[in-house]
Amino acid sequence: MPALLEGRGIAVRFGGVAALKGVDLSVDPGEVLSVIGPNGAGKTTLFNVITGRVRPTQGSVLYRAQPIDKLAPFRIAQLGVVRTFQKTEVFGALPLVEGVAAGALARNDPDPAERAREALATVGLYGKAHLTAAQLSYGDQRLLEIAQALAADPKVLLLDEPASGMNHQESRRIVDLIVQLRARGLAVILVEHNMHVVMTISDRVIVINYGEKIADGKPDHVRNDARVIEAYLGAPQAAHAVAR
Ligand SMILES: Nc1ncnc2c1ncn2[C@@H]1O[C@H](COP(=O)(O)OP(=O)(O)OP(=O)(O)O)[C@@H](O)[C@H]1O
Ligand SMILES: [Mg+2]
């Protein structure tokens, strides 16, 4: 059986910068794959390639065994490959339910408002549906972004640093949410610097360093890999994340 989503030999050059140098990855339904690595390693670029915002210089992305790397971002999202962004991008002045419904509208859902209410309930914001995004705490705004993505009915959900800037209690909600989404059969690809979050919920972890995949395996395997410790886990930033 081919993987639900597969990246083969993904390479990206930005002028003189080789942001990705032949990265392979795959994810299946009900699986959480984390992508970790130092700042500038190429993690967000990988998300940009998978979701059609950046064309790979080499390599391909297959979804249900069909190439998607030449499709427009909205087509890829309609197929079920949906992302959130590293920096919060919420509709500040709209009631939550309207902002979230935009995710469902994009895929021609017959009842976007109902999809939005379901998505808000999933992330625990149903009781705040009448508020505007600007009235939410930072932690709730990040959950709102995930609700927006969920309203588009993803099969593969890509989360770019969902727990960044969160306190322990807020990041705990992210962990619980991801566990719940995995149980529903979603494939989740997670970029996250909080190692507690990554090591708690990942089925597999890949490590990228300067655009190159240096490890791929179960969390325990990756955590003890000498190259990974040298390139990333030994770094103050990650040590801090573990300590939190
Ligand atoms: N649109 C772009 N044009 C030129 N260079 C880019 C572009 N996007 C990313 N880069 C470069 O590609 C490299 C990888 O960046 P990327 O944002 O993918 O890293 P990252 O792993 O997500 O880092 P962080 O952990 O800081 O979010 C960096 O050197 C970055 O400066
Ligand atoms: Mg990034």
Side-chain angles (χ1 to χ4, degrees):
M1 271 267 286
L4 179 61
L5 183 96
E6 192 180 343
R8 290 188 189 160
I10 297 171
V12 172
R13 292 195 71 86
F14 294 114
V17 178
L20 290 173
K21 303 172 187 167
V23 171
D24 296 324
L25 66 93
S26 70
V27 68
D28 276 312
E31 188 178 35
V32 177
L33 172 73
S34 285
V35 180
I36 65 172
N39 292 120
K43 305 178 298 292
T44 296
T45 302
L46 189 58
F47 273 20
N48 286 337
V49 169
I50 293 170
T51 55
R53 293 179 160 240
V54 165
R55 297 277 170 244
T57 316
Q58 279 175 54
S60 57
V61 182
L62 306 176
Y63 176 65
R64 300 190 198 279
Q66 301 296 317
I68 58 169
D69 47 83
K70 293 185 175 57
L71 301 180
F74 81 94
R75 279 292 301 145
I76 294 173
Q78 282 177 340
L79 290 173
V81 180
V82 180
R83 72 180 295 175
T84 62
F85 290 86
Q86 186 166 354
K87 296 203 176 69
T88 321
E89 290 195 10
V90 289
F91 300 94
L94 288 178
L96 300 195
V97 69
E98 288 180 34
V100 172
L105 273 174
R107 67 188 307 276
N108 303 321
D109 191 285
D111 194 350
E114 180 56 23
R115 289 295 87 68
R117 285 189 288 271
E118 285 169 8
L120 287 168
T122 299
V123 305
L125 289 177
Y126 188 80
K128 298 178 181 169
H130 58 288
L131 299 179
T132 67
Q135 292 172 301
L136 296 182
S137 69
Y138 173 78
D140 279 351
Q141 287 188 356
R142 306 255 23 205
L143 287 165
L144 177 62
E145 276 187 276
I146 298 177
Q148 248 168 47
L150 290 175
D153 192 22
K155 305 294 180 277
V156 181
L157 178 65
L158 298 97
L159 302 173
D160 199 350
E161 301 197 25
S164 77
M166 288 196 169
N167 62 34
H168 185 73
Q169 194 185 348
E170 289 168 332
S171 62
R172 184 70 233 174
R173 286 171 72 191
I174 294 287
V175 167
D176 292 345
L177 175 59
I178 294 173
V179 167
Q180 185 190 340
L181 296 174
R182 169 175 54 191
R184 287 189 191 179
L186 262 75
V188 178
I189 310 181
L190 174 69
V191 166
E192 184 50 61
H193 284 295
N194 183 326
M195 283 306 109
H196 176 71
V197 170
V198 168
M199 296 302 171
T200 307
I201 54 179
S202 305
D203 297 292
R204 271 184 311 121
V205 178
I206 67 176
V207 187
I208 302 181
N209 189 36
Y210 292 110
E212 193 189 341
K213 186 166 87 170
I214 61 168
D216 184 341
K218 294 200 181 307
D220 272 343
H221 168 80
V222 164
R223 198 193 333 236
N224 295 311
D225 184 292
R227 275 182 88 186
V228 176
I229 293 167
E230 187 186 347
Y232 182 55
L233 293 181
Q237 172 195 47
H240 173 70
V242 170
R244 261 202 300 230

